[in-house]
Each structure stands twice: as structure tokens, then as C-alpha cells.
Amino acid sequence: RSIHNKLGGVIALIMSIAILFILPIIHMNKSQGMQFYPINQSLFWYMIIMIILLTWIGARPVEIPYIITGQILTILYFLYFIMNSLISSLWDKLLNY
């Protein structure tokens, strides 16, 4: 619903599932646990809130405020994965010095 183009919607659907399979492969953090990454712990709750909101917005009718909200939440969902890896690598660099 958030993406008006059918091909774009299919690609976004495939990417939203594929990113969950690709993420463990590209995991290059020095530490394996989240307890050593305090910023990423708060990002985890950000992700949980995004999933809840995307689930809620998917149950709403296709109307103007819900369409824009769904598009923003979709962008924030994909930004989580970029922010999570960038903050983890930044935190690893800070701990090495």
C-alpha cells in the first residue's frame, strides 16, 4: 500500500524479507552480544515500535493520512538496518581507541 508501483512493491516486499536473511551474514561486529552496544539496545525497541506501527497501519483503510504514514514508516523500517550497522561499526571503532 505504501508503494504505488507494483514492481516497486514486490521489490520492497522481497527486500524486507531478504534483509532478515542477509543481516546475519554481513554481521561484522567485534562483540557478539547486544549488551556491549547500548545505543543499539534502544534501536531494538525502535524496531519493535516500527513493526507494531506497520502492522497497525496495514489494517487501516487506504486513505490519505494512512498512506503517508505507511510510507514514512516503511522508510524508517529500512533505515533501521542501515543505522544499526553504522552505529555498531562506529561503536567498535570507538572502543578500539
Side-chain angles (χ1 to χ4, degrees), residues 45-97:
W45 293 108
Y46 165 82
M47 181 63 168
I48 296 297
I49 291 170
M50 284 298 113
I51 290 172
I52 291 170
L53 288 174
L54 280 169
T55 303
W56 172 77
I57 207 71
R60 301 290 115 210
V62 183
E63 295 174 356
I64 282 296
Y66 301 124
I67 294 172
I68 295 171
T69 305
Q71 290 172 346
I72 292 169
L73 290 174
T74 302
I75 291 169
L76 292 176
Y77 172 81
F78 285 110
L79 275 177
Y80 163 78
F81 297 105
I82 296 169
M83 288 188 311
N84 192 22
S85 63
L86 288 176
I87 290 175
S88 295
S89 63
L90 178 68
W91 192 258
D92 285 339
K93 287 179 184 178
L94 286 174
L95 290 179
N96 284 338
Y97 293 115

Side-chain angles (χ1 to χ4, degrees), residues 18-62:
I19 201 164
L20 298 175
F21 288 111
I22 295 170
L23 200 59
I25 296 170
I26 62 170
H27 180 71
M28 299 293 181
N29 297 344
K30 304 278 187 218
S31 300
Q32 294 297 321
M34 286 290 284
Q35 66 266 21
F36 300 111
Y37 299 99
I39 298 172
N40 290 30
Q41 290 175 356
S42 61
L43 279 178
F44 169 77
W45 293 108
Y46 165 82
M47 181 63 168
I48 296 297
I49 291 170
M50 284 298 113
I51 290 172
I52 291 170
L53 288 174
L54 280 169
T55 303
W56 172 77
I57 207 71
R60 301 290 115 210
V62 183

